[in-house]
Amino acid sequence: MLRLLRTTSFRFTIIYVVLFAGAMAALGAYLYSATFGEAAKQTDTVIDSEIGVLADLFSTSGSGMLTRVIRQRVAWSDDAIYMLIGAPSGAVLAGNLTALPPEALTAEGDFFNFKFEKPLVDAAGREVGVQQREARGKMMRFRSAPDAEQSYLVVVARDVAGREYLRERSQSVVMRAALVTIAFGVLIGLMFSRSFLRRVEVVNKTTRAIRGGDLSQRIPTTGSGDELDDLGKNLNSMLDQIERLMTGMRDVSDNIAHDLRSPLTRIRNRLNSALEGSAEDKDAALRATIDDSDKVLATFNALLSIARIRSGEGAGVMELIDIVAIAEEMAELYEPAAQDAGFDFSLVTAPTPAVKGSRELVSQAVANFLDNALKYAEGGSKIELRVEPSKDGGAVLSVADDGPGIKEEDRNRVLERFVRLEQSRTTPGSGLGLSLVSAIARAHGASLELIDGLPQKNGDSFGLRIVMKFGPPE
């Protein structure tokens, strides 16, 4: 129960209930003022008007006429209350009150509320009892002249028992409705909080299992599409990414052990042998060790570059760059090497819009593309570097060859770190070139795809084309 009371949903529900109750109270106050308040003002206006009429009658016709008029009005109106007292004798001259209300003695000239007894009569006109009712009135003192010693006390009032009963009933109904609303709101808050806690507990249970090492656990979703479902989907996507990264770390560790164990072992054996050899053997061993150390350092530098690019640190400043100009520079740089290797190198460009990116990283990606083609397009004779606009206003950069290509089932795998296909095990390298290109593409929000390249000489199969698609600049 304490957990339910501490939940955010319960607190929000209580806030909504308080605000709703406050709105109801404000609405009730407005309705009260517009109904009972106006009725009370109207009653006071009628009483003042009656007193004004009686005062004019007294000043023009005297006390006798005032007495007759009060008796007539008492007979005509059922809710009108009058009383005429002759002072200083205190005799009741006319009216339907048997005694002067005590409240009138302290409220002369002001309105006051009082209770009076009204006879109850049957159908035959016989008195069968009395009923206590509420009234509101005003008492005034009439004098024939300002300096006259004799005066008359006039009480004019209206029976407001029905209105007061309705007012009290309305207040009671509003209070009960407010209490029911608050109770119902608290109950709904507890129900919502219980449902919310149940779903949160599922998330906690899953996170505890993941914290225990079971990375395969995922947060179940209800399919309702609410904010908790969205949160669960985002957390599941994050967990998928974490699991992929953890799997990648394990694969990287295995690949490091596989690819770096041999050069490190050669270095150690070569140095051990050099300790017992001649000066020429030691010199040769040191030179070979330096070459192997450079290869190891290049591998670790490539790993560091991939990590920095994926973290966003190595991407540098993103600005509008001309992909065609970069392709022309790289073509000029690699064309001699391609010709020396026996390839027919070609550059195909079309007017292409600028894209947002890092000139250094895109240049490095093109260099890796071309290095990959020169190294693995054995038996081929053509390398093509192409830049063209995409349909959505971006740019498409690709490098194609007519070499042996890569099997379709292996094309996604070669983008991972330290992955080298069996046919490339005998060639120098660490298997990080395309992985670095993949990191560069991800840093630019570009897609990387390996598809069929140029047709081979026999025309039966195709080489490999590596395509990087840049989206339009925002």
Side-chain angles (χ1 to χ4, degrees), residues 263 266-267 270-271 274 278-296:
R266 287 198 303 270
I267 290 174
R270 188 182 297 117
L271 292 177
S278 61
E280 292 79 5
D281 293 337
K282 292 181 180 180
D283 184 67
L286 289 175
R287 294 182 182 278
T289 298
I290 291 175
D291 292 338
D292 286 342
S293 299
D294 289 339
K295 294 177 181 178
V296 172

Side-chain angles (χ1 to χ4, degrees), residues 200-262:
V200 171
E201 187 58 32
V202 172
V203 178
N204 290 332
K205 182 180 179 180
T206 304
T207 55
R208 285 194 294 267
I210 295 172
R211 187 177 60 188
D214 186 4
L215 294 179
S216 64
Q217 290 289 330
R218 294 295 181 269
I219 298 172
T221 56
T222 62
S224 61
D226 59 6
E227 61 277 5
L228 289 179
D229 255 18
D230 290 340
L231 177 62
K233 291 177 182 178
N234 290 330
L235 289 177
N236 287 339
S237 298
M238 181 187 69
L239 292 173
D240 291 339
Q241 178 68 8
I242 292 175
E243 187 176 17
R244 285 193 295 269
L245 292 175
M246 295 297 292
T247 303
M249 288 181 63
R250 287 194 295 267
D251 293 342
V252 167
S253 300
D254 294 341
N255 290 325
I256 286 178
H258 185 275
D259 283 63
L260 299 185
R261 179 177 57 188
S262 296

Side-chain angles (χ1 to χ4, degrees), residues 9-10 13 17 182-194:
S9 61
F10 181 78
T13 303
V17 168
I182 294 174
F184 187 71
V186 172
L187 179 62
I188 293 297
L190 291 174
M191 293 174 59
F192 284 169
S193 299
R194 184 176 181 84

Side-chain angles (χ1 to χ4, degrees), residues 39 77 143 155 216 258 303 352 464:
S77 178
R143 286 186 173 88
V155 177
S216 64
H258 185 275
L303 285 173
T352 304
L464 178 68

Side-chain angles (χ1 to χ4, degrees), residues 65-77 82 94-95:
M65 181 61 70
L66 180 63
T67 303
R68 287 194 298 271
V69 170
I70 289 178
R71 287 173 181 171
Q72 291 174 357
R73 295 200 173 189
V74 168
W76 294 344
S77 178
Y82 298 95

Side-chain angles (χ1 to χ4, degrees), residues 88-161:
S89 64
V92 178
L93 303 179
N96 51 0
L97 283 179
T98 58
L100 184 66
E103 295 84 355
L105 299 176
T106 58
E108 183 176 344
D110 292 328
F111 289 98
F112 61 92
N113 293 334
F114 64 98
K115 293 182 179 181
F116 69 100
E117 292 182 350
K118 182 178 181 179
L120 294 176
V121 296
D122 57 11
R126 294 172 298 188
E127 185 175 334
V128 294
V130 294
Q131 180 185 19
Q132 193 174 53
R133 300 180 65 84
E134 294 187 33
R136 179 173 177 82
K138 179 186 281 190
M139 186 183 74
M140 297 295 293
R141 189 180 297 274
F142 289 176
R143 286 186 173 88
S144 57
D147 55 349
E149 295 182 359
Q150 186 178 6
S151 63
Y152 296 86
L153 296 179
V154 178
V155 177
V156 179
R158 284 292 184 273
D159 188 336
V160 295

Side-chain angles (χ1 to χ4, degrees), residues 299-322:
T299 299
F300 280 107
N301 286 334
L303 285 173
L304 180 60
S305 297
I306 293 173
R308 292 181 61 195
I309 293 172
R310 288 189 173 181
S311 66
E313 179 184 352
V317 178
M318 294 289 185
E319 57 186 3
L320 290 178
I321 57 175
D322 187 355

